[in-house]
Amino acid sequence: MSRCLIALLLLPSAAAAQIKPERLYNGINRPFPVKVSVPRATREASVQLLAPGTAEVVATANVAGDKADLAKLFPNLWTAKAPRMLYAQLVADGRKIGPAIVLQPMTNPPVVRLNADGKTVDFLPDEDQAYAGIRAYVDKHLVLNTSMGRMEFRLRPDAAPNTAFTIMELVKGGLYTDTIWHRVVAKRADGSPFVIQGGDPAGTGSGGPGFAYALEKSTLPHDFGVISIARSTDPNTNGCQVFVCLSREGTKHLDGRYASFGQLVRGADAVLKIGAVPVGKEDRPLNPPKIHGAELIDAAPYGTGPAVLSRPN
């Protein structure tokens, strides 16, 4: 093997180059260490703080070496009067490289209360308000490998941060392995396509992960390919069961009542195939499609990557 080829093999690829937090939890007014990996030929590297959704550049700071302290690069992370979700993106010679880091402020979430109608909910400010620091992790996509094809979802922690993070932890723990799509509602009474639901380890529609967490007021509208969390009447019973929306018309009434946390970017055919399976009583498929397993893969650099899918005509 030639020396030139060996040198090329030793160079980190653009796909491998990225920024990673050294800790998941970073307390306020303390160092915020991250590891930095860029191709050796890079002339100038920087970290950009990007706004969710728009990917607008909020701040930029140059980096050198294989480590950096985001608290020193961006002092405003600790001094902002109204901390907000941001993405930290590595840039090499003017080009975004690798997945970004999700920067979620650790603040007290609202208290959720079910209204007297038994359907709508109120989100009330917690009586104790504090900004404790940042939970930081590499931006990921969720992949569901099903018996009818592969589905890939762009996670939206900017819309429902605690829900997205909890689902990631369940995926890492293998909860979705060999579960089924136990409920398929191809159409509501008005004819609008509704949802496919799965992820129950019991396979009955009543099982969960052994714990529950509060509903979040997600900013992501329910629409075709949006993945959201199922729950019982009580808004504090979110668990592991997920549903994927089949249309905007059929699911828009779920906005604000269920925590949507991701959008389909690949696998519309798989969603539609599952949505078309024959069902029996209580919308249970006669031969339930399976989720063979779930995995997390690195997202594309923030603001790039595959587009969100719409329902095919």
Side-chain angles (χ1 to χ4, degrees):
M1 185 180 293
S2 71
R3 291 182 180 179
C4 291
L5 181 56
I6 292 174
L8 286 172
L9 291 174
L10 292 175
L11 284 174
S13 68
Q18 64 178 47
I19 180 172
K20 291 182 178 180
E22 291 192 4
R23 296 192 298 264
L24 176 61
Y25 294 100
N26 300 271
I28 193 169
N29 297 325
R30 302 169 202 170
F32 188 165
V34 296
K35 297 178 181 179
V36 180
S37 175
V38 296
R40 293 180 185 176
T42 299
R43 296 183 297 276
E44 181 179 78
S46 64
V47 176
Q48 293 180 342
L49 296 186
L50 306 179
T54 64
E56 175 187 0
V57 178
V58 175
T60 303
N62 289 337
V63 292
D66 59 0
K67 291 187 177 182
D69 182 352
L70 289 190
K72 288 185 177 179
L73 294 179
F74 306 104
N76 194 50
L77 287 176
W78 296 154
T79 60
K81 293 183 179 179
R84 59 169 175 158
M85 173 82 71
L86 292 168
Y87 289 80
Q89 177 66 57
L90 181 63
V91 178
D93 294 332
R95 184 167 62 96
K96 293 179 180 179
I97 292 185
I101 297 177
V102 178
L103 306 180
Q104 179 197 340
M106 297 190 299
T107 55
N108 296 342
V111 176
V112 188
R113 183 181 66 187
L114 182 67
N115 289 322
D117 61 10
K119 295 181 180 180
T120 59
V121 297
D122 282 334
F123 295 87
L124 308 175
D126 189 288
E127 62 182 13
D128 294 320
Q129 288 300 318
Y131 173 36
I134 291 174
R135 180 161 64 190
Y137 55 89
V138 174
D139 192 20
K140 298 288 184 178
H141 281 195
L142 165 66
V143 174
L144 298 180
N145 295 304
T146 83
S147 56
M148 292 193 168
R150 177 182 171 100
M151 304 175 191
E152 181 179 338
F153 299 88
R154 172 193 171 198
L155 290 175
R156 291 289 307 275
D158 58 301
N162 293 328
T163 303
F165 183 78
T166 301
I167 294 301
M168 289 175 62
E169 292 300 297
L170 293 175
V171 170
K172 292 176 185 177
L175 182 137
Y176 295 101
T177 303
D178 294 330
T179 55
I180 63 171
W181 298 95
H182 63 268
R183 181 175 179 239
V184 171
V185 185
K187 292 183 179 180
R188 301 179 69 213
D190 63 4
S192 56
F194 192 41
V195 303
I196 59 174
Q197 184 171 328
D200 174 4
T204 62
S206 300
F211 64 90
Y213 51 99
L215 174 68
E216 285 185 293
K217 191 177 183 179
S218 176
T219 58
L220 174 62
H222 289 82
D223 201 342
F224 175 77
V226 166
I227 187 169
S228 192
I229 286 289
R231 61 174 176 84
S232 65
T233 302
D234 189 322
N236 297 295
T237 57
N238 292 270
C240 58
Q241 292 188 38
V242 299
F243 62 87
V244 180
C245 301
L246 297 179
S247 74
R248 173 60 179 164
E249 313 90 272
T251 58
K252 60 184 178 182
H253 65 288
L254 304 178
D255 293 353
R257 296 168 54 193
Y258 292 82
S260 46
F261 64 91
Q263 294 168 288
L264 189 71
V265 295
R266 292 188 176 95
D269 287 350
V271 172
L272 293 175
K273 285 178 183 177
I274 294 172
V277 298
V279 299
K281 293 181 179 180
E282 298 181 341
D283 303 309
R284 187 175 180 86
L286 300 179
N287 184 20
K290 292 183 178 180
I291 300 175
H292 295 308
E295 59 183 314
L296 300 171
I297 62 174
D298 282 351
Y302 195 72
T304 70
V308 172
L309 298 180
S310 300
R311 184 180 174 89
N313 294 325

